[in-house]
Amino acid sequence: MTRVDLHLHLLPGIDDGAPDEATALEHAARMASDGVHAATVTPHVGSPYFDVEISEIHDRCADLQRALDRADIALRLEPGGEVYPGAAADLSAVDLDVIAHGPAGARWVLAEVPFAGVDDAFAVGLAEIRARGFGIVIAHPERATGLLTDGGLARLRPALEDGAVLQVNACSLMGRQGPEAQKAARRLVRSRLAYIIASDGHPGTRGHTLAEAESAAIAAGASAAQVVQLTQANPRFLLRHGLPRVDAPLPLRADGLRRARDAARRLRPGVRGCAG
Ligand SMILES: [Fe+2]
């Protein structure tokens, strides 16, 4: 099995990720040599800081895949996007479907937390995405100020109960996003609330790959088997099977998802932190 990275700013010249194709290819080659052979490309969408045209993402992804193939780099890409925290109300179901992954009935999108902290508006935005028929992978919750100390995790509880899962950043676990993010990332991994780890790589400025997170995850208290779930089995499950609704029967090999949902159920109303 190989590593699968579901949060990556690899598309060149579109946001704050790879500035050009040469930088994207150099990063992709490092990913492949680190055993990352499948990834979604997730430019910021709905952000006031980047003018990303959603309708162009598939063609841009196909262009980059052709460049990877020409360079003989063993990395398969899927088009995606990272939904800006305040953009949920602006994105139609058609927009969301362009950047969604998984089979019909279990499609999901990646939604970015507000760095200033999880607020009620973000929770409402997640509910709006869910109401349009999409599951949600919540990107780097540990980077939201006050996740463990100011009720941020409690405000995510309704989304988690409705089937959303959490994606922790490799760079947070590695301590590159500051001590609060690292502490929260470690707690999310240890408590099994984290369902996947992704790189959130920004070639040119944040050049780490998903593989570099694994020793940090072990240091956080994860077992070797859990690390395989977080970087290989669970992200692969999301691409193949999507994110089934909480009331839908789970397919075989959904052990990681069951554990994440069990951990979310153990969050009590008003919880400020998490176990572990
Ligand atoms: Fe990102």
Side-chain angles (χ1 to χ4, degrees):
M1 198 179 285
T2 61
R3 299 177 178 94
V4 179
D5 193 351
L6 299 186
H7 187 166
L8 175 67
H9 297 264
L10 192 66
L11 287 184
I14 191 170
D15 61 1
D16 57 347
D20 50 48
E21 186 177 285
T23 306
L25 292 179
E26 186 267 336
H27 188 83
R30 194 163 56 253
M31 290 173 65
S33 70
D34 280 353
V36 186
H37 295 297
T40 55
V41 289
T42 56
H44 297 280
V45 297
S47 165
Y49 306 110
F50 308 103
D51 189 19
V52 174
E53 184 56 57
I54 292 176
S55 63
E56 295 179 359
I57 291 175
H58 277 237
D59 285 347
R60 286 175 177 269
C61 182
D63 288 345
L64 183 57
Q65 185 67 64
R66 280 191 286 273
L68 290 171
D69 295 345
R70 283 195 300 272
D72 207 19
I73 296 170
L75 176 64
R76 302 307 302 172
L77 302 178
E78 277 199 20
E82 179 180 14
V83 178
Y84 184 75
D90 301 327
L91 298 177
S92 67
V94 172
D95 289 333
L96 291 169
D97 198 53
V98 170
I99 59 169
H101 311 277
R107 288 177 70 68
W108 58 271
V109 297
L110 182 72
E112 176 181 29
V113 293
F115 293 144
V118 175
D119 54 15
D120 291 339
F122 180 66
V124 169
L126 295 182
E128 289 179 358
I129 291 172
R130 179 73 267 180
R132 290 183 193 131
F134 296 88
I136 302 161
V137 175
I138 300 174
H140 47 61
E142 75 281 358
R143 294 194 66 189
T145 300
L147 184 80
L148 301 184
T149 58
D150 195 25
L153 193 56
R155 282 188 281 277
L156 290 180
R157 186 170 175 265
L160 296 174
E161 288 187 333
D162 205 18
V165 293
L166 302 182
Q167 174 257 303
V168 163
N169 269 10
C171 43
S172 300
L173 280 170
M174 295 156 69
R176 296 181 182 173
Q177 302 293 343
E180 183 184 351
Q182 185 180 35
K183 182 177 181 182
R186 295 176 68 137
R187 292 278 292 274
L188 293 174
V189 165
R190 207 160 47 233
S191 65
R192 293 189 175 272
L193 276 167
Y195 182 60
I196 61 171
I197 298 173
S199 73
D200 196 8
H202 287 61
T205 54
R206 281 190 249 160
H208 61 276
T209 73
L210 177 58
E212 295 174 56
E214 296 187 355
S215 58
I218 295 286
S223 65
Q226 188 188 353
V227 169
V228 170
Q229 286 271 333
L230 288 164
T231 63
Q232 301 183 40
N234 292 351
R236 180 168 284 101
F237 179 92
L238 284 176
L239 287 185
R240 284 187 182 166
H241 300 286
L243 191 52
R245 298 184 65 103
V246 286
D247 55 357
L250 291 179
L252 293 173
R253 297 176 184 263
D255 297 350
L257 186 56
R258 285 192 191 89
R259 274 193 286 269
R261 288 179 171 176
D262 287 346
R265 284 189 204 102
R266 288 196 292 272
L267 282 171
R268 294 181 301 279
V271 67
R272 295 174 71 86
C274 56

